[in-house]
Structure formats: C-alpha cells, structure tokens
Amino acid sequence: MKNQYRVNEQIRVREVRIVSDGGAEVMPTRKALELAQQQDLDLVEISPNAQPPVCRIVDYSKFLYQQKKHAKEMKQKQVKVETKEIRFGPQTDEHDYQFKLKHAIEFLSEGNKVRAYVFFRGRSILFKEQGEVLLLRFASDLEEYGKVEQMPKLEGKKMFLYMSPKKAGTAKKSQQKLDREKREAEAKAAADAEREANAEKNGLLNAKGGEALKKLAEEAE
C-alpha cells in the first residue's frame, strides 16, 4: 500500500485539487507542498487520474493506517460463498432423499451454492434417465430457496446439477407449497368450525340439563 500513493515531491504535476473537510481548492503543487510543510504534514495524491489530480494534506503514516484498517473491515464484511456437494445414487430411497433435501435447504438459506450429483457406478449408468428425473425433482423442491445455474448434465459417471441461493426477500413459494398451505388452512378452518359446533352443542345440552334439574326441584317443593 505504501507504493500505491505518490507523496510530497513525488507529485510532479503543475497543479492539484486539495480536498478537506472545508471543501476543495485548485492550487499550484508548489503552494500545496508549502502548506503541508507548514502544518508538519504530507501532501498525498489520492486520485491521480482526476483533472487536476486530487490530493489531501494529512499525516501519511496515519493515512496509511486508516486505509489498511478500512480494507480489513471491508474484507471481513464480504460474505464467503462456498459450494456444498450433495451426492445421490440413481436409486436413492425417499428417506435419504428427504434427508439430503433438508441439508440443501440449509446450505442455500446460508447463502452457499449447491452442487448435487448422481454417481453411476458400473452398470447403473443404464439408469441415467432416472438420475436426471431425480435431479429435476430436487431442483423443483428447492425452487423457493435457490435457482438453477446448470440443468442436469452428464460428465463421465456423474450427472451434475448446480444451484445458487436466491437473494433474501425475493424467494417465491413453489406451487406445491402454496397448495399444501392452502390445504392446511382449509383443514384448520374445518377443525375450528367443528370445535365451535361441539361447544355450542355442549352448551345447549348443559342448559337443558339445568332446566330439568330446576323443574325437579320445583316439583319436590
């Protein structure tokens, strides 16, 4: 970073634009150098391609420290995207499929990419169409969480599917999930209606029972 900026006498243009908290001013480079020397600071060129080049009058050592600190903070804020692998066999059972689907949802939700593949061992290559169907189903089930970067493609003994995460807040529900949620809502509404009907029926029975007891008491008197 030390060699990234020209400082003091290294700045050989005729004039520069000095920027500070108070604004900006174009002046001869010699005058800018004198101002820096008067303040016991340095003239640092921060934008050499501007016309004229932009400079600041600062403590060069402190300036470099702040730049390094800022670069480190930016690096820490960068999200590291990893590619997670999920392996299937051409005849993966439902339990294993659901287990791997759950992991894929976690990977995509965390912002990672997913590379799913079906490995064909020996004569199982005869079932490549079955492997393709499996990967297409996998992509469909993950529609809410990721988007397909590459459709199933056979490479040697492996068929790959690549998916990347959807941006937060843009995921759309698949039709399958919408239908499931609709069925769940209808079932809940039906259950609530049944509970209300039973409660009303029980209340009516209790009321009738109370009237019968009252009538017996009156007759006894």
Side-chain angles (χ1 to χ4, degrees):
M1 188 172 283
K2 244 184 177 182
N3 299 325
Q4 185 175 343
Y5 304 96
R6 282 196 286 263
V7 185
N8 297 327
E9 282 74 14
Q10 295 175 351
I11 305 170
R12 296 190 176 94
V13 293
R14 191 169 67 176
E15 60 181 14
V16 293
R17 184 183 302 275
I18 301 297
V19 294
S20 63
D21 295 338
E25 181 183 354
V26 176
M27 65 178 69
T29 304
R30 180 50 54 188
K31 181 181 177 182
L33 283 167
E34 290 173 357
L35 285 175
Q37 289 171 0
Q38 289 170 11
Q39 300 175 52
D40 199 21
L41 296 172
D42 302 290
L43 182 67
V44 182
E45 186 183 61
I46 59 174
S47 183
N49 296 325
Q51 293 296 329
V54 177
C55 297
R56 289 185 73 95
I57 296 175
V58 293
D59 182 322
Y60 187 47
S61 297
K62 188 180 289 185
F63 173 77
L64 283 181
Y65 172 76
Q66 292 294 338
Q67 292 297 105
K68 288 178 183 178
K69 184 179 177 182
H70 178 68
K72 185 178 179 181
E73 288 174 353
M74 292 298 293
K75 188 176 180 181
Q76 289 175 342
K77 288 180 181 179
Q78 288 178 348
V79 178
K80 186 179 180 182
V81 178
E82 296 181 8
T83 300
K84 303 289 188 178
E85 278 197 347
I86 294 181
R87 171 177 167 169
F88 292 102
Q91 295 177 315
T92 299
D93 61 41
E94 185 63 22
H95 176 77
D96 191 32
Y97 175 84
Q98 293 297 333
F99 178 78
K100 290 175 178 178
L101 178 65
K102 181 182 176 182
H103 278 292
I105 290 173
E106 291 175 359
F107 295 150
L108 291 169
S109 299
E110 291 169 357
N112 296 305
K113 293 186 177 184
V114 169
R115 178 171 65 182
Y117 68 92
V118 179
F119 179 64
F120 301 98
R121 190 189 302 275
R123 292 174 61 84
S124 66
I125 193 70
L126 297 172
F127 299 98
K128 63 181 181 180
E129 289 81 6
Q130 191 171 333
E132 183 178 8
V133 170
L134 186 147
L135 289 176
L136 289 173
R137 176 194 173 190
F138 193 62
S140 177
D141 289 343
L142 292 172
E143 181 184 4
E144 182 181 347
Y145 306 94
K147 55 185 178 182
V148 176
E149 282 191 343
Q150 179 185 300
M151 295 297 283
K153 181 179 179 183
L154 187 64
E155 298 177 18
K157 292 186 177 181
K158 296 178 181 179
M159 182 176 286
F160 290 96
L161 167 76
Y162 290 85
M163 296 194 70
S164 59
K166 283 188 174 180
K167 291 183 180 178
T170 61
K172 295 181 180 178
K173 294 182 180 179
S174 64
Q175 189 60 46
Q176 183 181 5
K177 183 163 186 178
L178 288 171
D179 292 341
R180 183 173 69 250
E181 289 181 351
K182 183 180 178 182
R183 289 194 300 271
E184 289 173 353
E186 290 174 349
K188 185 177 182 300
D192 291 343
E194 186 177 353
R195 278 197 298 272
E196 289 177 5
N198 288 335
E200 186 178 348
K201 183 178 179 182
N202 290 334
L204 184 61
L205 289 174
N206 290 337
K208 287 182 177 179
E211 290 176 1
L213 288 172
K214 184 178 179 182
K215 187 175 182 180
L216 286 173
E218 289 174 351
E219 290 176 353
E221 290 175 359

